[in-house]
Amino acid sequence: MALQCGIVGLPNVGKSTLFNALTESSIPAENYPFCTIEPHLGIVELPDPRLGDLGKIYNPKKIIHATVEFTDIAGLVRGASKGEGLGNKFLGQIRQTAAIIHVVRCFEDDNVTHVEGSVNPIRDAETIETELLLADLETLEKRHRKTEKTARTGDKIAVKELDLVNRLLKHCNEGHRARTLPVNDPDERKLLHTLHLLTSKPILYIANVDENEIMKNERNNHVQDLFDFAEKEGNSAIRICASIEQEISVLPEEEKELFLSEYNLPEPGLHKVIHAGFGLLDLQTFFTCGEQEVRAWTIPMGATAPKAAGEIHTDFERGFIKAEIFQYEDIIKHGSEKALSELGLIRQEGKQYIVKDGDCIFFKFNV
């Protein structure tokens, strides 16, 4: 499963600049509202140095990274759910994503216009949150009308769905996000997932700061306010200078480290976004290794061996027999599968095994 993230924010907060940096693409990022008028999709390789290390051992024909998909839509404005601006037209493009990246401007600059006239991260964040919530209410009302008709026929699934939709409508009309509604029944959780509600997704807030701010260890008041807001909402926040990240993204590899050191940055912002996204969604990586290819795969924390096998192909999960597993650290230390076998470090695991980050797995199956 690729990590899928939708990027939202007000116009002129640095969304498209960040997207350009993340995807090393060159969509417009001009200083006026609605510059991005079409949704943009970028597919990025997940940075993981472990793949390079495994490649040195196996010398495969191909090394394949896991991927991250970013969708950037037009800036949302107050009233977007009622048709204001252009962003509302593209909200459907991010309903299928697993998480939302919300870019919030946290720097002062008279040369960069702000649609609200001033920089206020909490107000801006709440504006977007409100528009997402209103868009969800519209979705729920449409679903209610459709489900109510079917429920009248006595259809048990429709009756159950109607009950969930009614509770969601009440919950969201009171100003609460869909993900804060208690849903314990597994069938209801599946139904909730099929609704693709925007406020059911976890949010990674990105505090977009200027070049001076990113070099400081302390957060300015705007950034701290946003971090506190994210924590209160049960979400995450990181600090990035999108303009610097865009500069870094187009540099030759040998120059990137020097540029990062000049700004006292330990890693590119892309890595920070990926790591934060993985933490937000409780994701991890396992590897398949051989002479043909070394490949990384993304799965949820707590996934069983058959579920991991299913990421490769549904037949692998359906016909799962067992998995041969060793850890990345062990093969790096000992240098070959033969050495691991002699040391008894390759295990046979069955259907109940919970895959761990860094597992190298060979699946055996029969269909």
Side-chain angles (χ1 to χ4, degrees):
M1 57 180 289
L3 171 59
Q4 297 174 308
C5 299
I7 305 177
V8 301
L10 293 171
N12 284 359
V13 296
K15 281 190 320 89
S16 295
T17 302
L18 177 67
F19 180 85
N20 289 346
L22 292 172
T23 61
E24 296 185 27
S25 63
S26 55
I27 64 171
E30 304 300 333
N31 178 28
Y32 54 88
F34 314 130
C35 180
T36 305
I37 59 173
E38 295 290 341
H40 293 85
L41 175 66
I43 300 176
V44 182
E45 288 187 345
L46 181 71
D48 194 331
R50 294 176 295 183
L51 277 171
D53 296 337
L54 291 169
K56 292 174 184 176
I57 292 172
Y58 286 92
N59 194 27
K61 293 179 180 177
K62 292 187 292 185
I63 293 179
I64 302 176
H65 290 250
T67 57
V68 187
E69 295 180 8
F70 295 102
T71 301
D72 176 39
I73 66 170
L76 298 169
V77 295
R78 194 182 302 276
S81 60
K82 302 301 180 186
E84 293 294 324
L86 298 171
N88 185 50
K89 295 179 182 179
F90 306 116
L91 282 175
Q93 301 288 333
I94 62 172
R95 287 196 180 277
Q96 304 295 325
T97 62
I100 289 176
I101 295 176
H102 185 169
V103 183
V104 183
R105 178 172 161 181
C106 292
F107 65 90
E108 303 279 355
D109 188 339
D110 293 337
N111 295 317
V112 180
T113 59
H114 193 294
V115 292
E116 295 282 0
S118 63
V119 176
N120 185 326
I122 304 306
R123 178 204 61 208
D124 295 351
E126 288 178 339
T127 294
I128 299 297
E129 296 276 322
T130 298
E131 295 307 322
L132 298 181
L133 188 62
L134 290 171
D136 278 351
L137 282 167
E138 185 180 340
T139 297
L140 288 167
E141 286 162 2
K142 288 179 181 176
R143 192 67 169 248
H144 183 274
R145 289 192 293 271
K146 179 181 176 182
T147 309
E148 191 175 34
K149 291 178 182 178
T150 312
R152 288 196 195 113
T153 67
D155 184 288
K156 290 183 179 179
I157 295 176
V159 170
K160 191 161 194 170
E161 182 176 331
L162 184 62
D163 178 65
L164 175 62
V165 170
N166 280 328
R167 282 160 36 219
L168 280 164
L169 275 168
K170 182 177 184 298
H171 186 73
C172 293
N173 267 312
E174 291 171 351
H176 307 300
R177 290 169 295 122
R179 69 187 295 237
T180 62
L181 178 74
V183 179
N184 299 316
D185 182 270
D187 291 334
E188 282 196 340
R189 282 201 293 269
K190 289 179 183 176
L191 285 171
L192 178 60
H193 182 70
T194 65
L195 294 172
H196 299 295
L197 297 175
L198 296 164
T199 62
S200 68
K201 305 177 190 302
I203 297 176
L204 170 62
Y205 291 95
I206 292 187
N208 186 20
V209 300
D210 61 20
E211 296 184 7
N212 293 323
E213 174 67 21
I214 200 66
M215 296 178 70
K216 300 175 183 175
N217 292 324
E218 304 81 17
R219 301 168 185 160
N220 68 27
N221 291 337
H222 289 323
V223 174
Q224 189 59 55
D225 287 346
L226 185 62
F227 271 66
D228 292 342
F229 177 79
E231 185 177 0
K232 185 179 73 173
E233 295 286 307
N235 291 307
S236 301
I238 59 175
R239 185 179 61 161
I240 280 180
C241 177
S243 60
I244 286 180
E245 296 302 331
Q246 189 170 10
E247 288 184 58
I248 294 171
S249 70
V250 297
L251 288 174
E253 284 300 320
E254 60 272 15
E255 294 181 26
K256 286 184 179 180
E257 283 192 27
L258 179 61
F259 194 95
L260 287 167
S261 65
E262 285 180 6
Y263 283 95
N264 196 30
L265 299 173
E267 60 181 351
L270 169 61
H271 296 199
K272 289 179 68 175
V273 173
I274 300 299
H275 297 157
F278 261 50
L280 198 63
L281 294 169
D282 292 328
L283 298 176
Q284 61 181 356
T285 302
F286 76 91
F287 305 103
T288 51
C289 307
E291 293 180 0
Q292 292 300 311
E293 68 175 35
V294 168
R295 184 164 183 165
W297 303 86
T298 303
I299 56 170
M301 299 281 286
T304 61
K307 287 295 182 186
E311 285 299 318
I312 300 173
H313 197 285
T314 53
D315 284 350
F316 281 34
E317 181 176 2
R318 186 161 55 90
F320 179 89
I321 299 172
K322 62 182 177 180
E324 292 184 354
I325 300 174
F326 54 89
Q327 260 287 318
Y328 159 81
E329 286 85 358
D330 288 335
I331 195 164
I332 296 305
K333 180 179 179 181
H334 298 288
S336 70
E337 286 188 29
K338 183 182 179 201
L340 296 185
S341 183
E342 291 171 351
L343 291 166
L345 293 174
I346 299 179
R347 312 184 310 278
Q348 304 280 336
E349 299 288 357
K351 293 182 178 180
Q352 303 305 314
Y353 176 73
I354 304 299
V355 176
K356 299 177 180 62
D357 186 71
D359 276 350
C360 300
I361 308 179
F362 177 74
F363 294 104
K364 294 188 177 181
F365 70 102
N366 182 36
V367 291

